[in-house]
Amino acid sequence: MAGAFWCIVEDDRQGNPKKVTAEVLGEAARLAAQAGGQAEAVWLTDKASPEGLALLGEWGAKRVLLVEDPGLAPYRGEVWTPILAELAAKESPRAIFGAVTTRQREALARLAARLGAGLAADSVALTLNGDALTATRPVYAGKLLAKMTWAKGPWLVTLRPNVFKPAEPQAGATAAVDKPAVTIPGEQMKLAERREEVSTGLPELAEAEIVVSGGRGLKGPENFVILEDLAKVIGAAVGASRAAVDAGWRPHRFQIGQTGRTISPKLYLGFGISGAIQHLAGMRTSKVICAINKDPEAPIFKIADYGIVGDLFEVAPLLTKEFKQLLEK
Ligand SMILES: Cc1cc2nc3c(=O)[nH]c(=O)nc-3n(C[C@H](O)[C@H](O)[C@H](O)COP(=O)(O)OP(=O)(O)OC[C@H]3O[C@@H](n4cnc5c(N)ncnc54)[C@H](O)[C@@H]3O)c2cc1C
């Protein structure tokens, strides 16, 4: 529908929308209601489950534009972008929202270039005043917040995970499912090799409500087990500083910061991390920050809500023990 607020669906590659989609769709629905329009979900996938489609309706989509084709997996930006551009040209949405995920941050940037439209990347707030949308986004490694509006539509935005309120599921609400005819571009690149990561059994970094993060202070990859023990007890994801990643202690997908992932958990616990500006860029919007460092002058204490000056090799097991006792009660 012309003038709709679109949410590009981020899924788990198994046919189910991820939690971040509830956040993006919730925001699209909130703004669409204010503008007198409707929220629509656009789902590009090789397989969509009926439960997943039902969920999109419960999260506030009035209509789902489903493009289901085996050629869409694995994700390639040069395949997604022309499809999204074709749909946007046919449908004239007012806004196109996506999430700050590996796939969507690329796809929406490519789409903006194709449409000649503006993109507010990594936004943390959106407000609609009459006919103008204003996006707030952190700049200069999170030191400042910039507000921007668009000279023309469509308004393209990527939304930072864990910042926007997820849509409350409305039992019984359904979305009309349309399967528009689109041209699936031939692939320009072939997949050479695919390696499935072994699941850690812990929550995913970008979506986790609690993140336990380790830096150079851990002294070696074998010591991350101390943080994993704590993470298992409190249901946290484990992240790392670039120093730990560059040393080969953790894969890059766990890196938090300017050249890694941006996270906004309810609680961030940093162990043996000094608090370099490039690390802060990826976690300073966490709701509560707790730093554990043996150096009382470590810069991370300047932005921490709680600080523990001590040796992480003593503090982390103690915290694990205490949380275990508390949570078992
Ligand atoms: C262009 C660019 C991009 C970058 N991008 C990123 C990024 O995305 N993410 C990122 O993290 N960094 C990034 N960096 C690197 C950044 O500048 C820092 O070098 C890095 O964050 C430092 O990691 P660290 O805090 O683990 O290590 P360090 O700065 O070496 O700090 C280790 C800390 O551990 C403490 N410590 C040591 N032993 C213990 C102990 N037993 N108990 C408790 N505390 C202990 C020390 O007191 C120290 O404060 C980037 C740099 C550049 C130039």
Side-chain angles (χ1 to χ4, degrees), residues 21 23 37 68-69 74 89 122 223 228 241 257 307:
T21 298
E23 298 169 13
E68 196 176 11
D69 189 282
D122 198 16
N223 293 326
E228 281 161 8
S241 72

Side-chain angles (χ1 to χ4, degrees), residues 215-217 219 241-243 255-260 272-274 276 278-279 293-295 310-313:
R216 206 192 316 259
K219 306 212 177 348
S241 72
R242 177 161 164 177
Q255 182 179 316
I256 296 164
Q258 190 180 314
T259 43
I273 290 179
S274 58
Q278 297 89 354
H279 187 79
N293 198 304
K294 64 179 184 185
D295 174 8
D311 185 339
L312 72 90
F313 294 100

